[in-house]
Amino acid sequence: MTDDASDEGADAMLSEPWTFHFPYTRTTGPVVGRFLLGLRERRIFGLRMEDGGVLVPPHSHDPRTSRELTEWVEVGTAGEVTSWTWIPEPSPQHPLDRPFGYGLVVLDGATTGMFHVIDTDGDEARMKTGMRVKVRWARRLKGHITDIASFVPVDAPEPDYEPEPVELEEPPTAARWRYDNPFSTDYTILAGEALSHHLRGLAEGRFVGMRGPSGDVLIPPDGADPFTGEAVTEAVELPDTGTVVRYCVVNIPVRGQQVEVPFVAADILLDGADSTFMAMIQGIPPRDVRLGLRVRVVWAEEAERTTGFESVKWFEPTGEPDRDLGELEEYL
Amino acid sequence: MSGQRAAVIGIGQTQLARRLHMSIAEMTRQAARRALDDAGMDWSDIDAVVLGKTPDIFDGHLFPEHFLADALGAVGKPLLRIHTAGSVGGHTAIQAAHLVQAGLFEKVLTVAYAKESEGDINWAVSGGGLPFYSPLVAGPGGYFAPHIRAYMRRSGAPDHIGVKIAYKDRRNAALNPYAHNPDPTITYERIAQSPMLWEPIRYLEACPSSDGACAMVIVSDAHADRGALPPAWILGTACRSEPSTAPRRDTINPVGGREASRAACAQAGITDPQREIDCAEMYVPFSWYEAMWMENMGLADEGYGWRRVEAGDHEIGGAMPINMSGGLMSGNATGATGMIRFAEAAMQVRGQAGEHQVDGAKRALGHAFGGASSYFAVWVVGSERP
């Protein structure tokens, strides 16, 4: 890993923490669906493999030959730990807030290991390969792998609750079983040096592009000249005015967009720039927008400006005569 | 084309739809099993697997090769994953072909899929709110609509061309057994009167969002006759990319697409694609792009794509049939879509396309593109052994 302090140019770059989050929904299909719905009834099912062994958790196919498996087998809710690792300092994303093990548990009647949590009340000394464990069912059974809250030593006392299946609106079917799978990962996003120049300009209500070795002024710049691949290094301040070179009329609301439909989204060629970017056009009926229309940016209020594209509210007509399309042919 | 000859001898597809009753493993296996059956093969016959999928943000799966290795018969075998946005299915098929042509493997299974129903594609296309990058001001269609308007201006194409293409594709989709909600009663008027979303793109000129998978078995010369049906010989393959924000880039007729078609046709010994290609399957998410890509692929003179549409050349019985399967109007399972185009082209030269077969098709072009018209993959397949 590179130390940030030794990372050349890092000081000149904007960076922001960012959490990627989305609530994906998984479709299990009939095989995994049957396994998960079995958990809801505190029963564990596997599939007979071609070598005679029993695959738990089951998949629709043999793990070695890839052929389809069809013979269901119910297995026990206790088994043996065949391998394990210890988590001495759980993070917030771990299932338990005290030290615990992750292990492979071969349930009685199964021949493959199930990867799951082994809970020994934080005591690593109790973890042994070959130890006998049993299922600790969750309080609420949802038809999810976490219906098995953990595996605990076989002699552990039973919990002080009776596990209960969560009520469903309609009877579940294995073939159409789905579950929520919220996905979340934390990142630190670096803008890069060239883009940082541009973004800092936006916060001050200025357009800053970058000139590359080919002579083109790029805005927003992504750091490299698209023709030569060399770094763009020369910041160039650009005016607030430009020309519409492409556009469309948007008639459906766009997520996160504040203006009412219909509105015009246009590719704008800023005066002095060689690349275009998309922005909204306001202050003119959509049907009157045209190629060559001269426009000026409307900046967000100073207090609302950020080092982000929100600083550009939209563009409005300047009232100047349109540009001759012949001069813009390379962009049309 | 240097290296050994390669041919498609097995093709499998799944229904294009929201597939809520199967997992990703089951869906991809269904396509792969159908391809193996077509090829007269079993899992154990395969030497290597090449996998492509929908962009990770669409379905939230980052390591599909891990959980699909055993599902796709890849235990103990090389399993490669290819990733190039929407064009991925085309690039994946080309990579599989190259492994055979390079002489590394004799029998390669290639699979591409999308399970868009597990995520939210409109949210995903917007980038998930990644800092520092410009938001998608106008939504997904809003990126492409200005380029369509620019094409109309440059070529003088009249307003109704997009409707005409969508009408042809939606009729063709009704002939495709895998199509997503096909409607045999579709009329020109209904498309023309459907709501204008991103002017000039109407609702029924835009593709649906689907789940689905496609698979092919690609083999060397020595195995080309194993299936019951004749092979589709891979005559030319090419991939090109270009930066989406390059100044003065021609987004209507991108140089990357032009060069990919030229290179693939040159390998196939084709000097006049308009005369020597019998039909094509192209990646057309919004109907207008058919006219634009016909020009880009060399299947129409520059400025004449829309004229070929106007003349009806693009119909199954026409002079240059395009998207006989219905193209993306028969469903868009992003990760699979490029491979479906390539597979449908191969189905034509194998005489396997059923109700949407072009009589006597000998050479067909498959096309995929991705990103902001930034990635291109093209292959040319033929019925005659080169």
Side-chain angles (χ1 to χ4, degrees):
Chain A
M1 299 292 281
T2 311
D3 177 11
D4 275 351
S6 70
D7 198 355
E8 196 185 339
D11 295 346
M13 269 181 221
L14 291 169
S15 75
E16 252 182 48
W18 180 58
T19 300
F20 175 91
H21 175 78
F22 192 78
Y24 294 100
T25 308
R26 299 298 170 208
T27 324
T28 64
V31 171
V32 174
R34 178 162 176 183
F35 169 75
L36 293 176
L37 289 175
L39 299 183
R40 199 164 160 269
E41 294 164 3
R42 286 184 271 171
R43 299 172 70 186
I44 301 179
F45 294 98
L47 277 169
R48 178 90 57 202
M49 294 185 288
E50 292 202 317
D51 68 0
V54 176
L55 178 67
V56 180
H59 292 280
S60 60
H61 47 277
D62 189 281
R64 292 181 195 84
T65 67
S66 298
R67 294 215 183 82
E68 195 174 344
L69 300 177
T70 52
E71 185 190 338
W72 286 93
V73 179
E74 183 164 5
V75 299
T77 56
E80 184 181 313
V81 173
T82 57
S83 184
W84 57 275
T85 186
W86 189 248
I87 307 295
E89 292 172 25
S91 77
Q93 281 148 322
H94 278 118
L96 296 179
D97 57 7
R98 57 180 179 277
F100 68 95
Y102 275 123
L104 284 174
V105 178
V106 177
L107 290 168
D108 298 338
T111 51
T112 62
M114 183 188 320
F115 181 81
H116 218 297
V117 174
I118 317 284
D119 184 5
T120 56
D121 280 330
D123 184 1
E124 185 179 0
R126 295 198 62 188
M127 291 295 299
K128 296 264 184 305
T129 296
M131 72 190 282
R132 292 283 298 167
V133 290
K134 64 182 179 183
V135 171
R136 165 67 46 85
W137 296 104
R139 203 178 281 269
R140 312 248 301 148
L141 303 170
K142 298 184 287 192
H144 190 267
I145 190 65
T146 54
D147 287 0
I148 298 175
S150 63
F151 284 90
V152 295
V154 273
D155 55 2
E158 291 305 310
D160 57 2
Y161 57 82
E162 182 64 18
E164 271 181 50
V166 170
E167 298 253 341
L168 300 170
E169 280 174 21
E170 47 189 280
T173 58
R176 299 186 79 84
W177 192 237
R178 306 177 85 191
Y179 64 88
D180 296 333
N181 178 215
F183 183 107
S184 188
T185 310
D186 296 324
Y187 294 91
T188 300
I189 305 296
L190 296 176
E193 217 172 319
L195 191 57
S196 295
H197 277 294
H198 171 68
L199 295 166
R200 290 200 176 97
L202 293 181
E204 294 166 6
R206 300 182 301 128
F207 281 123
V208 181
M210 300 290 282
R211 195 188 315 273
S214 62
D216 284 326
V217 174
L218 308 167
I219 185 166
D222 71 358
D225 184 291
F227 297 106
T228 66
E230 290 171 271
V232 294
T233 51
E234 182 194 344
V236 179
E237 177 138 4
L238 296 167
D240 282 357
T241 52
T243 305
V244 170
V245 292
R246 282 180 293 263
Y247 70 96
C248 74
V249 184
V250 181
N251 288 306
I252 56 169
V254 176
R255 198 182 280 249
Q257 199 60 274
Q258 304 299 320
V259 303
E260 284 186 13
V261 294
F263 68 87
V264 168
D267 285 332
I268 310 241
L269 180 64
L270 274 190
D271 296 337
D274 293 287
S275 65
T276 63
F277 59 88
M278 196 174 249
M280 281 188 292
I281 305 292
Q282 296 277 285
I284 178 172
R287 66 176 176 280
D288 292 342
V289 173
R290 56 204 179 265
L291 301 180
L293 179 71
R294 296 285 297 151
V295 290
R296 180 189 307 278
V297 69
V298 175
W299 295 104
E301 293 299 319
E302 194 170 342
E304 291 165 15
R305 284 204 297 263
T306 65
T307 52
F309 290 88
E310 313 76 60
S311 298
V312 174
K313 280 176 82 175
W314 51 67
F315 282 73
E316 285 181 351
T318 63
E320 299 165 84
D322 289 359
R323 271 193 68 182
D324 176 10
L325 296 187
E327 297 170 17
L328 297 168
E329 202 52 52
E330 288 180 310
Y331 291 91
L332 301 177
Chain B
M1 189 79 215
S2 56
Q4 66 174 344
R5 293 183 190 89
V8 180
I9 65 160
I11 296 173
Q13 292 187 51
T14 68
Q15 193 69 45
L16 293 167
R18 274 169 68 82
R19 311 230 73 194
L20 301 185
H21 63 292
M22 40 170 64
S23 65
I24 289 172
E26 285 153 351
M27 188 178 74
T28 50
R29 278 173 63 77
Q30 188 176 64
R33 190 61 258 179
R34 288 172 178 170
L36 290 170
D37 289 345
D38 188 14
M41 288 187 175
D42 202 352
W43 301 105
S44 56
D45 292 314
I46 295 298
D47 303 328
V49 179
V50 186
L51 177 67
K53 72 177 279 283
T54 216
D56 292 354
I57 194 170
F58 289 15
D59 68 0
H61 282 297
L62 307 182
F63 303 107
E65 59 279 12
H66 289 192
F67 75 91
L68 291 178
D70 56 353
L72 296 175
V75 175
K77 298 170 187 176
L79 169 56
L80 295 177
R81 183 200 170 184
I82 305 298
H83 194 164
T84 60
S87 59
V88 63
H91 285 92
T92 304
I94 287 177
Q95 179 63 29
H98 286 182
L99 291 178
V100 173
Q101 289 169 334
L104 295 170
F105 301 103
E106 296 292 306
K107 296 158 290 178
V108 176
L109 172 69
T110 184
V111 183
Y113 75 90
K115 200 80 188 296
E116 315 295 42
S117 65
E118 296 199 359
D120 178 335
I121 193 168
N122 283 321
W123 172 83
V125 167
S126 75
L130 189 67
F132 305 136
Y133 292 85
S134 50
L136 207 57
V137 174
Y143 170 78
F144 292 103
H147 304 298
I148 293 172
R149 186 186 293 279
Y151 171 73
M152 293 165 76
R153 175 184 170 273
R154 188 191 285 184
S155 68
D159 206 46
H160 65 268
I161 292 298
V163 179
K164 198 157 185 297
I165 294 166
Y167 181 48
K168 180 267 297 175
D169 279 345
R170 289 184 181 278
R171 275 181 292 125
N172 286 356
L175 306 175
N176 177 352
Y178 300 112
H180 191 164
N181 292 336
D183 180 1
T185 69
I186 190 73
T187 61
Y188 181 95
E189 288 68 32
R190 259 171 57 213
I191 297 169
Q193 285 156 19
S194 65
M196 193 62 93
L197 304 182
W198 301 277
E199 197 178 325
I201 301 173
R202 293 171 179 84
Y203 176 67
L204 289 174
E205 294 173 306
C207 63
S209 173
S210 319
D211 299 340
C214 181
M216 288 190 280
V217 176
I218 296 177
V219 299
S220 67
D221 210 334
H223 300 274
D225 297 322
R226 271 182 87 148
L229 289 169
W233 295 97
I234 297 164
L235 307 178
T237 59
C239 305
R240 295 289 187 275
S241 311
E242 62 185 60
S244 57
T245 57
R248 301 171 299 278
R249 180 168 86 104
D250 189 345
T251 51
I252 298 167
N253 193 356
V255 64
R258 277 203 309 270
E259 289 299 321
S261 174
R262 192 172 300 166
C265 286
Q267 290 163 26
I270 288 172
T271 51
D272 181 358
Q274 292 190 43
R275 203 167 45 78
E276 296 172 77
I277 297 280
D278 296 320
C279 56
E281 281 278 340
M282 303 195 298
Y283 199 120
V284 175
F286 304 103
S287 60
W288 271 98
Y289 268 80
E290 174 180 297
M292 294 159 69
W293 291 153
M294 278 176 91
E295 297 176 28
N296 193 233
M297 290 294 102
L299 302 177
D301 291 342
E302 194 156 354
Y304 279 77
W306 70 266
R307 291 181 172 90
R308 296 207 76 163
V309 169
E310 191 76 310
D313 290 355
H314 65 165
E315 299 275 355
I316 288 175
M320 180 56 74
I322 306 287
N323 287 340
M324 298 68 69
S325 66
L328 275 65
M329 298 303 156
S330 69
N332 183 18
T334 313
T337 295
M339 188 172 288
I340 295 172
R341 305 281 74 71
F342 278 42
E344 286 279 350
M347 286 164 64
Q348 290 290 337
V349 300
R350 300 178 80 204
Q352 185 184 9
E355 286 194 71
H356 61 283
Q357 177 70 45
V358 172
D359 280 345
K362 286 194 167 57
R363 271 186 287 208
L365 180 143
H367 157 272
F369 88 101
S373 304
S374 329
Y375 313 109
F376 299 89
V378 177
W379 84 359
V380 177
V381 286
S383 57
E384 283 170 29
R385 187 170 175 275

